[in-house]
Amino acid sequence: GLRWEDTLARATVTFTANGSWTAPAGVTSINYLVVGGGGGGGSAAAASRGQGGGGAGGVVTGTNVSVTAGTTYTITVGGGGAGGTSGNKGSDGTDSSISGSGFTTVTAGGGGAAEWRGDRLGVRGVGWREDDGVQVWPGGEGAAAAAF
């Protein structure tokens, strides 16, 4: 998902699906929080084995990032990965991003799926941006599998 804050009017725009946002007149900077979709958990092949959880999506934040009034920015919201079935691994979460003309693309990586083997963890997602002054946090690793 994505949380977008207009720093002039202090308005908050939240995206739960892909979309776009046009910077209003007078707006010169924004704050943002971008979160990648989480990875899907694994599925046990036998009732006596648990499976690992998928990794969390990465997170990227930015404060007072320059935008241009009248410019439309594209928002991509990553989805969570599906859980595995019948002893198979889940699917990876997908990336979330903000992009637009004159704006360095910001991407928060989707979380990795849990492996189908009971001893595997889901891998973590990674958030990134190609610019200074941006805070980036990788997503957490998925939970370990358990035998019951």
Side-chain angles (χ1 to χ4, degrees):
L2 178 87
R3 180 172 178 238
W4 187 280
E5 184 176 311
D6 169 332
T7 57
L8 177 68
R10 296 286 182 209
T12 300
V13 179
T14 301
F15 289 86
T16 57
N18 295 342
S20 62
W21 176 80
T22 301
V27 173
T28 59
S29 67
I30 59 168
N31 299 336
Y32 59 78
L33 168 68
V34 182
V35 181
S43 170
S48 63
R49 295 286 297 189
Q51 285 297 314
V59 176
V60 181
T61 65
T63 304
N64 294 321
V65 176
S66 295
V67 293
T68 303
T71 299
T72 299
Y73 298 90
T74 300
I75 311 302
T76 302
V77 176
T85 58
S86 304
N88 295 305
K89 70 179 252 177
S91 60
D92 294 338
T94 56
D95 297 349
S96 294
S97 65
I98 306 171
S99 61
S101 177
F103 186 86
T104 301
T105 298
V106 175
T107 302
E115 293 289 339
W116 61 269
R117 291 181 39 195
D119 60 348
R120 302 293 177 145
L121 301 174
V123 296
R124 59 183 166 177
V126 177
W128 60 273
R129 178 167 186 217
E130 299 175 7
D131 199 7
D132 295 329
V134 175
Q135 297 180 5
V136 177
W137 295 278
E141 292 185 354
F148 9 154

